Coordinates of all heavy atoms in Angstrom, one line a residue:
M179 N 0.8 -1.2 0.0 CA 0.0 0.0 0.0 C 0.9 1.2 0.0 O 1.9 1.3 0.7 CB -0.9 0.0 1.2 CG -1.9 1.1 1.3 SD -3.1 0.8 2.6 CE -4.1 2.2 2.2
H180 N 0.5 2.2 -0.8 CA 1.3 3.5 -0.9 C 1.0 4.4 0.3 O -0.1 4.3 0.8 CB 1.1 4.1 -2.2 CG -0.3 4.5 -2.5 ND1 -0.9 5.7 -2.1 CD2 -1.3 3.8 -3.2 CE1 -2.1 5.7 -2.5 NE2 -2.4 4.6 -3.1
T181 N 1.9 5.2 0.6 CA 1.7 6.1 1.8 C 1.6 7.6 1.3 O 1.4 8.5 2.1 CB 2.9 6.0 2.8 OG1 4.1 6.3 2.1 CG2 2.9 4.6 3.4
E182 N 1.7 7.8 0.0 CA 1.6 9.2 -0.5 C 0.2 9.6 -0.6 O -0.7 8.8 -0.8 CB 2.3 9.3 -1.9 CG 3.8 9.0 -1.8 CD 4.5 9.1 -3.1 OE1 4.2 10.0 -3.9 OE2 5.2 8.2 -3.4
K183 N -0.1 10.9 -0.6 CA -1.4 11.4 -0.7 C -1.9 11.4 -2.1 O -1.2 11.5 -3.1 CB -1.4 12.9 -0.2 CG -1.1 13.1 1.2 CD -1.2 14.5 1.6 CE -0.8 14.7 3.1 NZ -0.8 16.1 3.5
P184 N -3.2 11.1 -2.3 CA -3.8 11.2 -3.6 C -3.6 12.5 -4.3 O -3.5 13.5 -3.6 CB -5.3 10.9 -3.4 CG -5.4 10.3 -2.0 CD -4.2 10.8 -1.3
K185 N -3.6 12.5 -5.6 CA -3.3 13.8 -6.4 C -4.6 14.1 -7.2 O -5.0 13.3 -8.0 CB -2.1 13.5 -7.3 CG -1.8 14.7 -8.2 CD -1.1 15.8 -7.5 CE -0.6 16.8 -8.5 NZ -0.1 18.0 -7.9
V186 N -5.1 15.3 -7.0 CA -6.3 15.8 -7.7 C -5.8 16.5 -9.0 O -4.8 17.2 -9.0 CB -7.1 16.8 -6.9 CG1 -8.2 17.4 -7.7 CG2 -7.7 16.1 -5.7
V187 N -6.4 16.2 -10.1 CA -6.1 16.7 -11.4 C -7.3 17.4 -12.0 O -8.4 16.9 -11.9 CB -5.7 15.5 -12.4 CG1 -5.4 16.0 -13.8 CG2 -4.4 14.8 -11.8
S188 N -7.0 18.6 -12.6 CA -8.1 19.3 -13.2 C -7.7 19.7 -14.6 O -6.6 20.2 -14.8 CB -8.5 20.6 -12.4 OG -7.5 21.5 -12.3
I189 N -8.5 19.4 -15.6 CA -8.2 19.7 -17.0 C -9.4 20.4 -17.7 O -10.5 19.9 -17.6 CB -7.9 18.4 -17.8 CG1 -6.7 17.6 -17.1 CG2 -7.7 18.6 -19.3 CD1 -5.4 18.3 -17.2
R190 N -9.2 21.5 -18.3 CA -10.2 22.2 -19.1 C -10.5 21.5 -20.4 O -9.6 21.2 -21.1 CB -9.8 23.7 -19.3 CG -11.0 24.4 -20.0 CD -10.7 25.9 -20.1 NE -10.6 26.5 -18.8 CZ -11.6 26.9 -17.9 NH1 -12.9 26.7 -18.3 NH2 -11.4 27.4 -16.8
V191 N -11.7 21.3 -20.7 CA -12.2 20.6 -21.9 C -12.2 21.6 -23.0 O -12.8 22.6 -23.0 CB -13.6 20.0 -21.7 CG1 -14.1 19.3 -23.0 CG2 -13.6 19.0 -20.5
C192 N -11.5 21.2 -24.1 CA -11.5 22.1 -25.3 C -12.4 21.5 -26.3 O -12.9 20.4 -26.2 CB -10.0 22.2 -25.8 SG -9.3 20.7 -26.4
L193 N -12.6 22.2 -27.4 CA -13.6 21.9 -28.4 C -13.3 20.5 -29.0 O -14.2 19.7 -29.2 CB -13.6 22.9 -29.5 CG -14.5 22.6 -30.7 CD1 -16.0 22.6 -30.3 CD2 -14.3 23.6 -31.8
N194 N -12.0 20.1 -29.2 CA -11.7 18.8 -29.8 C -11.3 17.8 -28.8 O -10.7 16.8 -29.2 CB -10.7 19.0 -30.9 CG -9.4 19.5 -30.5 OD1 -9.3 20.3 -29.5 ND2 -8.3 19.2 -31.1
S195 N -11.8 17.9 -27.6 CA -11.5 16.9 -26.6 C -12.3 15.6 -26.9 O -13.4 15.7 -27.4 CB -12.0 17.4 -25.2 OG -12.0 16.4 -24.2
C196 N -11.7 14.5 -26.6 CA -12.4 13.2 -26.8 C -13.6 13.1 -25.9 O -14.4 12.2 -26.1 CB -11.4 12.1 -26.6 SG -10.2 11.9 -27.8
Y197 N -13.7 13.9 -24.9 CA -14.8 13.8 -23.9 C -15.9 14.7 -24.1 O -17.0 14.6 -23.5 CB -14.2 13.9 -22.5 CG -13.1 13.0 -22.3 CD1 -11.7 13.4 -22.2 CD2 -13.3 11.6 -22.3 CE1 -10.7 12.5 -22.1 CE2 -12.2 10.7 -22.1 CZ -10.9 11.2 -22.0 OH -9.9 10.3 -21.9
C198 N -15.7 15.7 -25.0 CA -16.8 16.7 -25.3 C -18.0 15.9 -25.9 O -17.9 15.1 -26.8 CB -16.3 17.7 -26.4 SG -16.7 19.3 -26.0
G199 N -19.2 16.1 -25.2 CA -20.4 15.5 -25.7 C -20.7 14.1 -25.1 O -21.8 13.6 -25.4
I200 N -19.8 13.6 -24.3 CA -20.2 12.3 -23.7 C -20.5 12.5 -22.2 O -20.3 13.5 -21.6 CB -19.0 11.2 -23.8 CG1 -17.8 11.6 -22.9 CG2 -18.6 11.0 -25.2 CD1 -16.8 10.5 -22.8
R201 N -21.1 11.5 -21.6 CA -21.5 11.5 -20.2 C -20.3 11.3 -19.3 O -19.4 10.5 -19.7 CB -22.6 10.5 -19.9 CG -23.9 10.7 -20.6 CD -24.7 11.7 -19.8 NE -25.8 12.1 -20.6 CZ -26.6 13.2 -20.3 NH1 -26.2 13.9 -19.3 NH2 -27.6 13.5 -21.0
L202 N -20.3 11.9 -18.2 CA -19.1 11.8 -17.3 C -18.8 10.4 -16.9 O -17.6 10.0 -16.8 CB -19.4 12.7 -16.0 CG -18.3 13.3 -15.3 CD1 -17.3 14.0 -16.1 CD2 -18.8 14.2 -14.1
R203 N -19.8 9.6 -16.6 CA -19.6 8.2 -16.2 C -19.0 7.3 -17.3 O -18.6 6.2 -17.1 CB -20.9 7.6 -15.7 CG -21.3 8.1 -14.3 CD -22.4 7.3 -13.8 NE -22.9 7.9 -12.6 CZ -24.2 7.8 -12.2 NH1 -25.0 7.2 -12.9 NH2 -24.5 8.4 -11.1
D204 N -19.1 7.8 -18.6 CA -18.6 7.1 -19.7 C -17.1 7.2 -19.9 O -16.5 6.6 -20.8 CB -19.3 7.4 -21.0 CG -20.8 7.0 -20.9 OD1 -21.1 6.0 -20.2 OD2 -21.6 7.6 -21.7
I205 N -16.4 8.1 -19.1 CA -15.0 8.3 -19.2 C -14.3 7.1 -18.5 O -14.6 6.9 -17.3 CB -14.6 9.6 -18.6 CG1 -15.2 10.8 -19.3 CG2 -13.0 9.7 -18.5 CD1 -14.9 12.2 -18.7
V206 N -13.5 6.4 -19.2 CA -12.8 5.2 -18.7 C -11.4 5.6 -18.2 O -10.6 6.1 -19.0 CB -12.8 4.1 -19.7 CG1 -12.1 2.9 -19.2 CG2 -14.2 3.7 -20.2
L207 N -11.1 5.3 -17.0 CA -9.8 5.5 -16.4 C -9.2 4.3 -15.8 O -9.9 3.3 -15.7 CB -9.9 6.6 -15.3 CG -10.5 8.0 -15.7 CD1 -10.6 8.8 -14.4 CD2 -9.7 8.6 -16.8
S208 N -7.9 4.3 -15.5 CA -7.3 3.1 -14.9 C -7.9 2.9 -13.5 O -8.6 3.8 -12.9 CB -5.8 3.3 -14.8 OG -5.5 4.3 -13.7
E209 N -7.6 1.8 -13.0 CA -8.2 1.4 -11.7 C -7.8 2.3 -10.5 O -8.4 2.4 -9.5 CB -7.8 -0.1 -11.4 CG -8.7 -0.8 -10.4 CD -8.4 -2.2 -10.3 OE1 -8.6 -2.9 -11.3 OE2 -7.9 -2.7 -9.2
E210 N -6.6 2.9 -10.7 CA -6.0 3.8 -9.7 C -6.6 5.2 -9.8 O -6.1 6.1 -9.0 CB -4.5 3.8 -9.8 CG -3.9 2.5 -9.3 CD -3.9 2.3 -7.8 OE1 -3.9 3.3 -7.1 OE2 -4.0 1.2 -7.4
C211 N -7.4 5.5 -10.7 CA -7.9 6.9 -10.9 C -9.5 6.9 -11.0 O -10.1 6.0 -11.4 CB -7.4 7.4 -12.2 SG -5.6 7.5 -12.3
R212 N -10.0 8.0 -10.6 CA -11.5 8.2 -10.5 C -11.8 9.6 -11.0 O -11.2 10.6 -10.6 CB -12.0 8.0 -9.1 CG -11.8 6.7 -8.5 CD -12.6 5.6 -9.1 NE -12.5 4.3 -8.3 CZ -11.5 3.5 -8.5 NH1 -10.5 3.7 -9.4 NH2 -11.4 2.4 -7.8
I213 N -12.9 9.7 -11.7 CA -13.5 11.0 -12.0 C -14.3 11.4 -10.8 O -15.1 10.6 -10.3 CB -14.4 10.9 -13.3 CG1 -13.6 10.7 -14.6 CG2 -15.3 12.2 -13.4 CD1 -12.8 11.9 -15.0
L214 N -14.2 12.7 -10.4 CA -15.0 13.2 -9.3 C -16.2 14.0 -9.7 O -17.2 13.9 -9.1 CB -14.1 14.1 -8.4 CG -12.8 13.4 -7.8 CD1 -12.0 14.5 -7.1 CD2 -13.2 12.3 -6.9
G215 N -16.0 14.7 -10.8 CA -17.0 15.6 -11.3 C -16.5 16.6 -12.3 O -15.4 16.4 -12.9
L216 N -17.1 17.7 -12.4 CA -16.6 18.8 -13.2 C -17.1 20.1 -12.7 O -18.0 20.2 -11.9 CB -17.1 18.6 -14.7 CG -18.5 18.5 -15.1 CD1 -19.2 19.8 -15.2 CD2 -18.7 17.8 -16.4
V217 N -16.4 21.2 -13.2 CA -16.8 22.5 -12.9 C -17.3 23.2 -14.2 O -16.7 23.1 -15.2 CB -15.6 23.4 -12.3 CG1 -16.1 24.8 -12.1 CG2 -15.1 22.7 -11.0
R218 N -18.5 23.7 -14.1 CA -19.1 24.4 -15.3 C -19.5 25.8 -14.8 O -20.4 25.9 -13.9 CB -20.3 23.6 -15.8 CG -21.0 24.2 -17.0 CD -22.1 23.4 -17.5 NE -21.5 22.1 -18.1 CZ -22.2 21.0 -18.2 NH1 -23.4 20.9 -17.7 NH2 -21.6 19.9 -18.7
G219 N -18.9 26.8 -15.3 CA -19.1 28.1 -14.8 C -18.7 28.2 -13.4 O -17.5 27.9 -13.0
N220 N -19.6 28.6 -12.5 CA -19.3 28.6 -11.1 C -19.9 27.5 -10.3 O -20.0 27.5 -9.1 CB -19.8 29.9 -10.5 CG -19.0 31.1 -10.9 OD1 -17.8 31.0 -11.1 ND2 -19.7 32.2 -11.1
N221 N -20.3 26.4 -11.0 CA -21.0 25.3 -10.4 C -20.2 24.0 -10.4 O -19.5 23.7 -11.4 CB -22.3 25.0 -11.2 CG -23.3 26.1 -11.1 OD1 -23.5 26.7 -10.1 ND2 -23.8 26.5 -12.3
L222 N -20.1 23.4 -9.3 CA -19.5 22.1 -9.1 C -20.6 21.0 -9.4 O -21.6 21.0 -8.7 CB -18.9 21.9 -7.8 CG -18.2 20.6 -7.4 CD1 -17.1 20.3 -8.4 CD2 -17.7 20.6 -6.0
I223 N -20.3 20.1 -10.3 CA -21.3 19.1 -10.7 C -20.6 17.7 -10.4 O -19.6 17.4 -11.0 CB -21.7 19.2 -12.1 CG1 -22.3 20.5 -12.4 CG2 -22.7 18.0 -12.4 CD1 -22.6 20.8 -13.9
F224 N -21.1 16.9 -9.5 CA -20.5 15.7 -9.1 C -20.9 14.6 -10.1 O -21.9 14.6 -10.8 CB -21.0 15.2 -7.7 CG -20.4 16.1 -6.7 CD1 -21.2 17.1 -6.1 CD2 -19.1 16.0 -6.3 CE1 -20.7 18.0 -5.1 CE2 -18.6 16.9 -5.3 CZ -19.4 17.9 -4.7
I225 N -20.1 13.5 -10.1 CA -20.3 12.4 -11.1 C -21.6 11.8 -11.0 O -22.2 11.3 -12.0 CB -19.1 11.4 -11.0 CG1 -19.2 10.4 -12.2 CG2 -19.2 10.7 -9.7 CD1 -18.0 9.6 -12.4
N226 N -22.2 11.7 -9.8 CA -23.5 11.1 -9.6 C -24.6 11.7 -10.4 O -25.6 11.1 -10.7 CB -23.9 10.9 -8.1 CG -24.1 12.3 -7.5 OD1 -23.5 13.3 -7.9 ND2 -24.8 12.3 -6.4
E227 N -24.4 13.0 -10.8 CA -25.4 13.7 -11.7 C -25.2 13.3 -13.1 O -26.1 13.6 -13.9 CB -25.3 15.2 -11.5 CG -25.6 15.7 -10.1 CD -25.5 17.1 -9.9 OE1 -25.9 17.9 -10.8 OE2 -24.9 17.5 -8.9
N228 N -24.1 12.7 -13.5 CA -23.7 12.2 -14.8 C -24.0 13.2 -15.9 O -24.7 12.9 -16.9 CB -24.4 10.9 -15.0 CG -23.8 10.1 -16.1 OD1 -22.6 10.3 -16.4 ND2 -24.5 9.2 -16.8
P229 N -23.5 14.4 -15.8 CA -23.7 15.4 -16.9 C -23.0 15.1 -18.2 O -22.0 14.3 -18.2 CB -23.2 16.7 -16.3 CG -22.0 16.2 -15.5 CD -22.5 14.9 -14.8
Q230 N -23.5 15.6 -19.3 CA -22.8 15.5 -20.5 C -21.7 16.6 -20.5 O -21.9 17.7 -20.1 CB -23.7 15.8 -21.7 CG -23.2 15.6 -23.0 CD -24.2 15.7 -24.1 OE1 -25.1 16.6 -24.0 NE2 -24.1 15.0 -25.2
V231 N -20.5 16.2 -20.9 CA -19.3 17.1 -20.8 C -19.4 18.1 -22.0 O -19.7 17.7 -23.1 CB -18.0 16.2 -20.9 CG1 -16.8 17.1 -21.0 CG2 -17.9 15.2 -19.8
K232 N -19.1 19.3 -21.7 CA -19.2 20.4 -22.7 C -17.9 21.1 -22.8 O -17.1 21.1 -21.8 CB -20.3 21.4 -22.3 CG -21.7 20.8 -22.3 CD -22.7 21.9 -22.0 CE -24.1 21.4 -22.0 NZ -25.1 22.4 -21.7
C233 N -17.6 21.8 -23.9 CA -16.5 22.6 -24.1 C -16.4 23.6 -22.9 O -17.4 24.2 -22.5 CB -16.5 23.3 -25.4 SG -15.1 24.2 -25.9
D234 N -15.2 23.8 -22.4 CA -14.9 24.8 -21.3 C -15.3 24.3 -19.9 O -15.0 24.9 -18.9 CB -15.6 26.2 -21.5 CG -14.8 27.0 -22.6 OD1 -13.6 26.8 -22.8 OD2 -15.5 27.7 -23.3
D235 N -15.8 23.1 -19.8 CA -16.0 22.4 -18.5 C -14.6 22.1 -18.0 O -13.6 22.0 -18.8 CB -16.7 21.1 -18.6 CG -18.2 21.3 -18.8 OD1 -18.7 22.4 -18.6 OD2 -18.9 20.2 -19.1
V236 N -14.4 22.0 -16.7 CA -13.1 21.6 -16.1 C -13.4 20.2 -15.5 O -14.2 20.1 -14.5 CB -12.6 22.6 -15.1 CG1 -11.4 22.1 -14.4 CG2 -12.4 23.9 -15.7
L237 N -12.7 19.2 -16.0 CA -12.9 17.8 -15.5 C -12.0 17.7 -14.2 O -10.9 18.2 -14.1 CB -12.3 16.8 -16.5 CG -13.1 16.7 -17.8 CD1 -12.4 15.7 -18.7 CD2 -14.5 16.2 -17.5
L238 N -12.6 17.1 -13.2 CA -11.9 16.9 -11.9 C -11.8 15.4 -11.7 O -12.8 14.7 -11.7 CB -12.7 17.5 -10.7 CG -13.0 19.0 -10.8 CD1 -13.9 19.4 -9.7 CD2 -11.7 19.8 -10.8
A239 N -10.6 15.0 -11.5 CA -10.3 13.6 -11.3 C -9.2 13.4 -10.2 O -8.5 14.4 -9.8 CB -9.8 12.9 -12.6
V240 N -9.1 12.2 -9.7 CA -8.1 12.0 -8.6 C -7.3 10.7 -9.0 O -7.9 9.7 -9.4 CB -8.7 11.9 -7.2 CG1 -9.7 10.7 -7.1 CG2 -7.7 11.8 -6.1
A241 N -6.0 10.8 -8.8 CA -5.1 9.7 -8.9 C -4.9 9.2 -7.5 O -4.3 9.9 -6.7 CB -3.8 10.0 -9.5
I242 N -5.5 8.1 -7.1 CA -5.5 7.5 -5.8 C -4.0 7.3 -5.4 O -3.6 7.6 -4.3 CB -6.4 6.3 -5.6 CG1 -7.8 6.7 -5.9 CG2 -6.2 5.7 -4.3 CD1 -8.7 5.5 -6.1
N243 N -3.3 6.7 -6.3 CA -1.8 6.6 -6.2 C -1.2 7.7 -7.0 O -1.4 7.8 -8.2 CB -1.4 5.2 -6.7 CG 0.1 5.0 -6.5 OD1 0.9 6.0 -6.4 ND2 0.5 3.8 -6.4
P244 N -0.5 8.7 -6.4 CA -0.1 9.9 -7.1 C 0.9 9.6 -8.2 O 1.0 10.4 -9.1 CB 0.6 10.7 -6.0 CG 0.8 9.8 -4.9 CD -0.2 8.7 -5.0
M245 N 1.5 8.4 -8.3 CA 2.3 8.1 -9.4 C 1.6 8.0 -10.7 O 2.1 8.1 -11.8 CB 3.2 6.9 -9.2 CG 2.5 5.6 -9.3 SD 3.6 4.2 -9.1 CE 3.1 3.2 -10.4
Y246 N 0.3 7.9 -10.7 CA -0.6 7.8 -11.9 C -1.1 9.2 -12.3 O -1.7 9.3 -13.4 CB -1.8 6.9 -11.6 CG -1.5 5.5 -11.5 CD1 -1.2 4.9 -10.3 CD2 -1.4 4.7 -12.7 CE1 -0.9 3.5 -10.3 CE2 -1.1 3.4 -12.7 CZ -0.8 2.8 -11.4 OH -0.5 1.4 -11.4
A247 N -0.8 10.3 -11.6 CA -1.2 11.6 -11.9 C -0.7 12.1 -13.3 O -1.6 12.6 -14.1 CB -0.8 12.6 -10.9
P248 N 0.5 11.9 -13.7 CA 0.9 12.3 -15.1 C 0.2 11.5 -16.2 O -0.3 12.1 -17.1 CB 2.4 11.9 -15.1 CG 2.9 11.9 -13.7 CD 1.7 11.4 -12.9
E249 N -0.1 10.2 -16.0 CA -0.8 9.5 -17.0 C -2.3 10.0 -17.0 O -2.9 10.1 -18.1 CB -0.8 8.0 -16.5 CG -1.6 7.1 -17.4 CD -1.6 5.6 -16.9 OE1 -0.7 5.2 -16.2 OE2 -2.6 5.0 -17.2
L250 N -2.8 10.3 -15.9 CA -4.2 10.8 -15.8 C -4.3 12.1 -16.6 O -5.3 12.3 -17.3 CB -4.6 11.0 -14.3 CG -6.0 11.5 -14.1 CD1 -7.1 10.7 -14.7 CD2 -6.2 11.7 -12.6
K251 N -3.4 13.0 -16.4 CA -3.4 14.3 -17.1 C -3.4 14.1 -18.6 O -4.1 14.7 -19.4 CB -2.2 15.1 -16.7 CG -2.3 15.7 -15.3 CD -1.1 16.6 -15.0 CE -1.2 17.1 -13.6 NZ 0.0 17.9 -13.2
V252 N -2.5 13.2 -19.1 CA -2.4 12.9 -20.5 C -3.7 12.3 -21.0 O -4.2 12.8 -22.1 CB -1.2 11.9 -20.8 CG1 -1.3 11.4 -22.2 CG2 0.1 12.6 -20.5
L253 N -4.3 11.4 -20.3 CA -5.5 10.8 -20.7 C -6.7 11.8 -20.8 O -7.4 11.8 -21.8 CB -5.9 9.7 -19.8 CG -7.2 8.9 -20.1 CD1 -7.0 8.2 -21.5 CD2 -7.5 7.9 -19.0
L254 N -6.8 12.7 -19.8 CA -7.8 13.7 -19.8 C -7.6 14.8 -20.9 O -8.6 15.5 -21.2 CB -8.0 14.3 -18.4 CG -8.5 13.3 -17.4 CD1 -8.6 14.1 -16.0 CD2 -9.8 12.7 -17.7
K255 N -6.4 14.9 -21.4 CA -6.2 15.9 -22.4 C -6.3 15.3 -23.8 O -6.0 16.0 -24.8 CB -4.8 16.5 -22.3 CG -4.6 17.4 -21.1 CD -3.2 17.9 -21.0 CE -3.0 18.9 -19.8 NZ -1.6 19.4 -19.8
K256 N -6.7 14.1 -23.9 CA -6.8 13.4 -25.2 C -7.7 14.1 -26.2 O -8.8 14.6 -25.8 CB -7.4 12.0 -25.0 CG -7.2 11.1 -26.1 CD -7.7 9.7 -25.7 CE -7.7 8.8 -26.9 NZ -8.2 7.4 -26.6
L257 N -7.3 14.3 -27.4 CA -8.0 15.1 -28.4 C -8.4 14.2 -29.6 O -7.8 13.2 -29.8 CB -7.1 16.2 -28.9 CG -6.6 17.2 -27.9 CD1 -5.6 18.2 -28.5 CD2 -7.7 17.9 -27.2
K258 N -9.4 14.7 -30.3 CA -9.8 14.1 -31.6 C -9.5 15.2 -32.7 O -9.5 16.4 -32.4 CB -11.2 13.6 -31.6 CG -12.2 14.7 -31.3 CD -13.6 14.1 -31.1 CE -14.6 15.1 -30.6 NZ -15.9 14.6 -30.3
P259 N -9.4 14.8 -33.9 CA -9.2 15.8 -35.0 C -10.3 16.8 -35.0 O -11.5 16.4 -34.8 CB -9.2 14.9 -36.3 CG -8.9 13.6 -35.8 CD -9.4 13.4 -34.4
L260 N -10.0 18.0 -35.3 CA -11.0 19.1 -35.3 C -12.1 18.8 -36.4 O -13.2 19.2 -36.2 CB -10.4 20.5 -35.6 CG -9.8 21.2 -34.4 CD1 -9.0 22.4 -34.9 CD2 -10.8 21.5 -33.4
S261 N -11.7 18.1 -37.4 CA -12.7 17.8 -38.5 C -13.8 16.8 -37.9 O -14.9 16.8 -38.5 CB -12.0 17.1 -39.7 OG -11.4 15.9 -39.2
D262 N -13.5 16.1 -36.8 CA -14.5 15.2 -36.2 C -15.4 16.0 -35.2 O -16.4 15.4 -34.7 CB -13.8 14.1 -35.4 CG -13.1 13.1 -36.4 OD1 -13.3 13.2 -37.6 OD2 -12.3 12.3 -35.9
C263 N -15.1 17.2 -34.9 CA -15.9 18.0 -33.9 C -17.1 18.7 -34.6 O -17.0 19.2 -35.7 CB -15.0 19.0 -33.3 SG -13.6 18.3 -32.4
Q264 N -18.2 18.7 -33.8 CA -19.4 19.4 -34.2 C -19.6 20.5 -33.3 O -19.6 20.3 -32.1 CB -20.6 18.5 -34.2 CG -20.5 17.3 -35.2 CD -21.8 16.5 -35.1 OE1 -22.6 16.7 -34.2 NE2 -21.9 15.5 -36.0
V265 N -19.7 21.7 -33.8 CA -19.9 22.9 -33.0 C -21.4 23.0 -32.7 O -22.2 23.2 -33.7 CB -19.4 24.2 -33.7 CG1 -19.6 25.4 -32.8 CG2 -17.9 24.0 -34.0
S266 N -21.8 22.9 -31.5 CA -23.2 23.0 -31.1 C -23.5 24.4 -30.7 O -22.7 25.1 -30.0 CB -23.6 22.0 -30.1 OG -22.8 22.3 -28.9
Q267 N -24.7 24.9 -31.1 CA -25.1 26.2 -30.6 C -25.8 26.1 -29.2 O -26.5 25.2 -29.0 CB -26.1 26.8 -31.6 CG -25.4 27.1 -33.0 CD -26.5 27.7 -33.9 OE1 -27.6 27.8 -33.6 NE2 -26.0 28.0 -35.1
Q268 N -25.4 27.0 -28.3 CA -25.9 26.9 -27.0 C -26.9 28.1 -26.7 O -26.8 29.1 -27.2 CB -24.8 26.9 -26.0 CG -23.9 25.7 -26.1 CD -22.8 25.7 -25.1 OE1 -22.7 26.6 -24.2 NE2 -21.9 24.8 -25.2

């Protein structure tokens, strides 16, 4: 068992994020990491509400073992080609 403290990671979702448009619970992470929720504007939305991820949301996740934090950051920054993105009007 590790003795280091868990590491919280926050990543802003950009237009061509792989997570834009999907439900929070559909984000698959390693066993050592968990999605906590997201920040939208001034609101904190927890995973149990299972919101659809939007551009400019800030994803909040935790690496239970802090050695997984760099991998978690890379995974949450995953992008798709801009040509695959659909710009939705809000």
